[in-house]
Amino acid sequence: MELNLQSTVTLNNGVEIPRLGLGVYLASRGEETRQAVRSALAAGYRHIDTARVYGNERDVGAAVRESGLPREDIFVTTKLWNSDQGYDSALQACARSLKELGLEYVDLYLIHWPVQGRRLDSWRALETLLRDGRCRAIGVSNFMEHHLDELLARAQVVPAVNQVEQHPFLHQPSLLRHCADKGIAVEAYSPLTKGLRLTDPRLVEVARRHGRSTAQVLIRWCLQHGMIVIPKSAHAARIRENATVYDFSLSPEDMRQLDGLNEDLYTGWDPREVP
């Protein structure tokens, strides 16, 4: 079945999440974030990803309300920052995020990083928030296989999502398989390599064959690997371009060629050595 901008993935608790979203990492608080979210919603996006540490939750919430769209039509994610981890502090942090967003609930609340010694207590807090209806789904970010195994041995609720950096230059099939085996959806952040590999000749060649931008090819690669994907942009034209990925497909040979570009390129955090 061909994808479209309203395509969703059904998470392990039955909640549906749009497969394509807008990330607002590094979008400045104020008008830049508000305009990016407004542009995305106008282009048909229904999934916005922010975090407490980004400092722009208030602007995301304002743009969601200003859109005039029903709240239930927009999927909003935010995240628990490292300094807020722990049981009581996580509950308080979620309350602060909801106040900043101006929302009664978030659709997905994630532990932003696997902080040693605190992540299990944080997860207990997220389970409480889920039961209380302040989150429709809960998950993690930057968790590797050993972090997931530790969590699953204690958790009452299996994470719905693991949000990790993914693109052809950081292809981690073992992690993708591990999450699939556990019923955890993988969500790709920084799918455009923060621009570092957009001019790689091998990627450019695939894009040329399809008459597409390299950014569109990278997003399509994530979608064809079954991932949710949240490219970041603050520019209306690029936000629209990033959504124009449903009227072409990468061939099996294209996918093999792109899979072969892996160089373990982390453009942000590398969580592999976190105990």
Side-chain angles (χ1 to χ4, degrees):
M1 183 175 65
E2 182 54 30
L3 301 165
N4 59 64
L5 193 51
Q6 304 308 321
S7 290
T8 62
V9 171
T10 301
L11 300 176
N12 59 21
N13 67 345
V15 168
E16 291 190 2
I17 180 173
R19 295 196 64 192
L20 178 68
L22 175 75
V24 295
Y25 171 65
L26 291 183
S28 300
R29 67 182 66 191
E31 185 57 24
E32 180 175 283
T33 294
R34 294 188 187 204
Q35 184 57 48
V37 175
R38 285 195 296 262
S39 296
L41 295 175
Y45 290 70
R46 294 296 181 264
H47 175 183
I48 309 297
D49 180 279
T50 185
R52 199 278 281 180
V53 75
Y54 299 170
N56 54 24
E57 289 174 317
R58 181 173 300 182
D59 302 300
V60 167
V64 166
R65 290 189 299 276
E66 291 164 4
S67 73
L69 294 166
R71 168 66 186 93
E72 60 271 20
D73 288 356
I74 304 175
F75 194 100
V76 178
T77 299
T78 195
K79 309 179 194 75
L80 175 71
W81 183 236
N82 300 352
S83 58
D84 296 324
Q85 287 206 34
Y87 184 80
D88 290 331
S89 53
L91 296 178
Q92 294 163 8
C94 184
R96 288 193 298 270
S97 284
L98 290 173
K99 183 177 180 180
E100 283 289 290
L101 287 161
L103 302 176
E104 294 183 359
Y105 66 90
V106 289
D107 298 278
L108 179 62
Y109 196 47
L110 302 178
I111 295 178
H112 209 150
W113 182 255
V115 175
Q116 187 180 18
R118 300 173 75 179
R119 56 189 179 241
L120 295 179
D121 286 335
S122 298
W123 188 251
R124 286 196 303 113
L126 266 62
E127 291 177 333
T128 297
L129 293 165
L130 181 67
R131 287 194 299 270
D132 290 348
R134 284 178 277 179
C135 316
R136 295 178 64 227
I138 55 176
V140 295
S141 183
N142 298 297
F143 274 50
M144 297 291 101
E145 290 99 319
H146 62 286
H147 303 130
L148 292 170
D149 289 342
E150 176 201 56
L151 180 61
L152 291 169
R154 310 275 187 90
Q156 295 181 5
V157 177
V158 175
V161 167
N162 186 18
Q163 186 184 108
V164 291
E165 183 172 357
Q166 286 288 299
H167 43 73
F169 303 92
L170 179 59
H171 183 35
Q172 303 174 86
S174 63
L175 178 60
L176 299 183
R177 286 193 299 269
H178 196 73
C179 289
D181 289 345
K182 306 299 182 184
I184 301 169
V186 173
E187 185 171 22
Y189 74 77
S190 296
L192 307 184
T193 71
K194 295 190 175 73
L196 294 176
R197 293 292 183 273
L198 289 180
T199 59
D200 184 285
R202 298 162 297 177
L203 177 60
V204 168
E205 173 57 24
V206 175
R208 185 197 61 77
R209 288 202 297 267
H210 291 276
R212 298 290 170 154
S213 70
T214 52
Q216 289 170 321
V217 168
L218 291 173
I219 293 166
R220 185 74 200 192
W221 177 87
C222 290
L223 291 171
Q224 288 188 212
H225 269 299
M227 290 181 263
I228 303 154
V229 58
I230 49 169
K232 182 264 177 184
S233 180
H235 303 285
R238 289 178 187 164
I239 288 169
R240 290 192 297 271
E241 177 185 295
N242 290 343
T244 311
V245 290
Y246 303 102
D247 54 352
F248 79 103
S249 296
L250 298 170
S251 70
E253 178 55 35
D254 292 331
M255 293 295 287
R256 283 192 293 272
Q257 183 175 342
L258 293 169
D259 289 353
L261 300 181
N262 179 56
E263 56 186 73
D264 292 336
L265 173 68
Y266 282 90
T267 67
W269 298 330
D270 180 350
R272 290 174 297 182
E273 301 305 318
V274 177

